[in-house]
């Protein structure tokens, strides 16, 4: 069974999924509940959690970009951009991070 935590890229992949899910829940569940029904509990919890995941993703992306000598314009900026677009982290995981992770394991 392939493990996400067996390498730094694997951990970034896991962070990408977690950050992407938190953004989707925040945008499509929490914000509508807050603005349509006045329910703020989910936003007050999920907002900071998403913020921490976002920062961890950005810091880890920059760190891995330097560690693996990613070309900024070809890889690093695409991965960074993905974390601000809904569903972007899932796309970038499939197109960039997964192939990099599989190449490490070979």
């Amino acid at each position: 069974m392939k493990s996400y935590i067996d390498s730094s890229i694997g951990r970034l992949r896991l962070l990408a999924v977690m950050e992407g899910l938190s953004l989707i829940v925040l945008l499509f569940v929490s914000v509508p509940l807050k603005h349509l029904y006045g329910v703020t509990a989910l936003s007050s919890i999920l907002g900071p959690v998403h913020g921490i995941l976002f920062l961890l993703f950005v810091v880890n992306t920059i760190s891995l970009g330097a560690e693996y000598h990613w070309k900024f314009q070809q890889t690093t900026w695409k991965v960074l951009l993905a974390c601000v677009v809904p569903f972007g982290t899932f796309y970038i995981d499939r197109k960039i991070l997964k192939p990099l992770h599989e190449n490490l394991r070979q």
Side-chain angles (χ1 to χ4, degrees):
M1 177 182 207
K2 294 181 181 179
S3 173
Y4 277 105
I5 59 173
D6 64 351
S7 70
S8 53
I9 291 180
R11 288 185 289 278
L12 182 63
R13 291 184 68 203
L14 180 60
L15 261 175
V17 170
M18 292 169 52
E19 194 276 338
L21 287 173
S22 72
L23 179 60
I24 289 169
V25 172
L26 193 62
L27 288 177
F28 297 112
V29 177
S30 177
V31 171
L33 282 174
K34 180 179 178 181
H35 291 288
L36 295 175
Y37 301 106
V39 177
T40 60
L42 187 58
S43 293
S44 65
I45 295 167
L46 192 57
V49 169
H50 171 70
I52 290 168
L53 290 170
F54 175 83
L55 290 175
L56 286 171
F57 184 82
V58 168
V59 168
N60 278 289
T61 297
I62 292 168
S63 175
L64 286 179
E67 180 182 340
Y68 288 102
H69 306 287
W70 291 348
K71 292 184 178 180
F72 187 81
Q73 292 184 349
Q74 290 179 349
T75 306
T76 308
W77 80 271
K78 290 177 184 176
V79 176
L80 289 173
L81 182 64
C83 68
V84 295
V85 176
F87 305 103
T89 54
F90 303 113
Y91 176 80
I92 220 68
D93 177 54
R94 176 71 69 191
K95 294 296 181 180
I96 293 177
L97 299 177
K98 184 178 180 181
L100 288 172
H101 191 215
E102 289 172 349
N103 286 340
L104 280 179
R105 301 187 73 183
Q106 294 176 0

